[in-house]
């Protein structure tokens, strides 16, 4: 079975060796059960959101669900949210929107 070594985060293949709560790994190491995490599936897996990012003429950076259309001074479309203006510093008003994927994952405790 696979387990994560709590001290290092390494995933190892282990088997219970018959001496109490001790597990042997294929690399010759031995671990107490308390040193291993057998729950490898995260309780809250990451999610990926697809969208489009573009910058308005005034510098506002926005995320859209679908590719927006350019207006006189701003982009129009299915707006999701404004992003920090220092994100994507090379993206300007003159550029076309860029397609992005944003990965959201739980913060490590």
């Amino acid at each position: 079975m696979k387990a994560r070594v709590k001290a290092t985060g390494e995933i190892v293949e282990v088997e219970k060796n018959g001496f109490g709560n001790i597990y042997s790994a294929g690399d010759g190491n031995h671990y107490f059960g308390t040193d291993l995490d057998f729950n490898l599936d995260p309780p809250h897996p990451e999610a990926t959101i697809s969208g489009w990012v573009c910058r308005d003429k005034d510098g506002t950076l926005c995320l859209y669900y679908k590719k927006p259309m350019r207006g006189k001074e701003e982009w129009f479309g299915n707006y999701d949210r404004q992003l920090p203006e220092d994100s994507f510093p090379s993206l300007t008003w003159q550029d076309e929107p860029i397609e992005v994927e944003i990965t959201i994952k739980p913060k490590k405790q």
Side-chain angles (χ1 to χ4, degrees):
M1 73 185 87
K2 291 188 180 204
R4 178 178 288 109
V5 179
K6 291 179 181 177
T8 65
E10 178 184 8
I11 305 294
V12 294
E13 186 72 32
V14 296
E15 61 182 44
K16 198 159 187 170
N17 69 11
F19 295 105
N21 194 21
I22 299 176
Y23 292 82
S24 299
D27 60 5
N29 288 320
H30 300 282
Y31 301 95
F32 288 104
T34 55
D35 296 329
L36 301 171
D37 182 3
F38 294 97
N39 184 12
L40 300 182
D41 294 328
H44 306 287
E46 13 183 272
T48 301
I49 298 171
S50 295
W52 295 83
V53 172
C54 54
R55 191 173 303 276
D56 289 341
K57 197 169 190 176
D58 69 0
T60 303
L61 190 68
C62 295
L63 173 68
Y64 292 82
Y65 291 116
K66 295 182 180 176
K67 188 174 181 180
M69 294 177 23
R70 188 187 302 265
K72 278 189 140 186
E73 296 191 6
E74 60 187 15
W75 293 90
F76 295 97
N78 293 326
Y79 173 78
D80 184 21
R81 67 186 58 248
Q82 189 171 330
L83 300 173
E85 289 185 13
D86 59 351
S87 304
F88 301 96
S90 64
L91 186 63
T92 68
W93 163 248
Q94 291 79 23
D95 296 322
E96 287 297 309
I98 57 171
E99 193 169 12
V100 297
E101 284 188 343
I102 300 171
T103 301
I104 302 170
K105 56 186 174 181
K107 188 173 180 178
K108 292 184 180 178
Q109 301 286 354

